[in-house]
Amino acid sequence: MIELKNLSKIYRTDTVETTALNNLTLSIPKGSFVAIKGPSGCGKTTLLNILGLMDRPSTGEVLLEGIAAGNMNEKERNRMRRSKIGFLFQKFNLIASLTVFENVELPLLYHKVDSATRKSKVTALLKQLGLEGRMNHYPHQLSGGQQQRVGLARCVINDPELILADEPTGNLDSKHGEEVMELLSELHRDGRTIVMVTHNDSYASYASEIIKLSDGAIVT
Ligand code: ADP
Ligand code: MG
């Protein structure tokens, strides 16, 4: 699904140069569930952003299903991201001015799905996640656990093959954290590839592989 070859990312400001990723080589097979661990600042978010085609490496290569992301233009990158990749964030990143329904509907609008199909798909998914009574609520009217379930609905509404989750349980209590992990496990069993950053050892144990990063490099 993903191959990284000698990937490095260096951030430069006027005064500081930070090597966020240092010569990573890694391959993630289709259908795997990978957890990424490591101390704050070791490059986890940078790595996910590059995997998700949100950011570009300074040097090295990213191949998604054999296609070199470095050779794609912005339009092709956007198309690839929107059709194949779903994101889940620690801070949920829902749009405050949109309702639950509208937040989940948004990815379908990018794909020009017609209104009747949007309505039935979004309603069915929200119902499946126990949110049918919250469709017209705004994000601030929901608990953290409910907001992350909306985040998950938005993440999977387009049926992405690859799910990238950056500390998705970081702002949740253990009950809701486990609920999110169960939902991610289900998506994994359905055949999705999942890459998840976590600090929590018991959540990392849901994964089939654990990658430990330190100072932008893979330790184990
Ligand atoms: P993690 O997610 O593991 O906490 P990050 O990937 O966010 O780490 O950051 C890795 C390193 O890169 C850190 O030292 C951080 O300060 C630096 N960094 C991240 N983003 C930027 C940026 N946009 N500009 C400059 N430095 C950055
Ligand atoms: Mg981070």
Side-chain angles (χ1 to χ4, degrees):
M1 181 92 215
I2 305 169
E3 267 190 274
L4 305 180
K5 291 184 185 163
N6 304 110
L7 189 93
S8 292
K9 178 72 179 182
I10 298 161
Y11 291 111
R12 290 189 178 87
T13 64
D14 292 344
T15 49
V16 190
E17 187 169 278
T18 307
T19 302
L21 296 174
N22 189 3
N23 202 30
L24 288 194
T25 294
L26 175 65
S27 93
I28 298 176
K30 214 178 186 69
S32 49
F33 187 165
V34 176
I36 298 176
K37 291 185 58 180
S40 178
C42 73
K44 303 179 297 294
T45 294
T46 302
L47 177 59
L48 276 204
N49 287 342
I50 291 174
L51 292 180
L53 308 180
M54 305 282 282
D55 199 359
R56 292 169 185 274
S58 304
T59 56
E61 251 189 281
V62 182
L63 290 116
L64 274 178
E65 297 192 312
I67 303 167
N71 296 337
M72 289 183 218
N73 64 32
E74 214 48 46
K75 212 172 160 186
E76 291 167 329
R77 288 163 66 85
N78 288 340
R79 193 181 313 130
M80 182 85 147
R81 183 186 320 115
R82 286 175 182 164
S83 60
K84 290 195 184 286
I85 306 174
F87 290 89
L88 197 59
F89 303 93
Q90 177 176 6
K91 290 180 181 158
F92 322 129
N93 293 18
L94 302 174
I95 297 175
S97 60
L98 297 182
T99 64
V100 165
F101 182 93
E102 290 164 342
N103 267 281
V104 179
E105 181 187 35
L106 203 53
L108 297 177
L109 286 169
Y110 287 130
H111 283 271
K112 302 194 168 51
V113 175
D114 69 82
S115 153
T117 310
R118 293 199 305 271
K119 185 155 192 233
S120 66
K121 274 190 98 167
V122 173
T123 307
L125 182 57
L126 288 173
K127 199 170 171 192
Q128 196 188 328
L129 289 166
L131 290 163
E132 65 269 37
R134 295 287 183 276
M135 293 207 278
N136 297 316
H137 283 55
Y138 288 89
H140 78 271
Q141 298 173 311
L142 303 178
S143 72
Q146 289 169 334
Q147 287 187 57
Q148 194 59 306
R149 269 185 278 150
V150 177
L152 201 74
R154 178 187 57 187
C155 169
V156 301
I157 190 77
N158 268 334
D159 205 11
E161 291 169 46
L162 172 64
I163 292 174
L164 301 175
D166 196 351
E167 303 192 48
T169 58
N171 278 339
L172 301 177
D173 59 33
S174 60
K175 173 172 172 278
H176 292 109
E178 266 157 40
E179 185 181 283
V180 166
M181 291 311 305
E182 287 300 331
L183 291 165
L184 282 174
S185 296
E186 233 170 81
L187 292 164
H188 176 230
R189 283 195 293 275
D190 285 347
R192 267 71 160 225
T193 307
I194 298 180
V195 182
M196 173 188 73
V197 169
T198 185
H199 286 298
N200 184 311
D201 285 325
S202 67
Y203 296 158
S205 68
Y206 281 81
S208 50
E209 282 159 274
I210 300 177
I211 293 172
K212 285 189 185 156
L213 281 186
S214 175
D215 290 332
I218 295 173
V219 197
T220 50

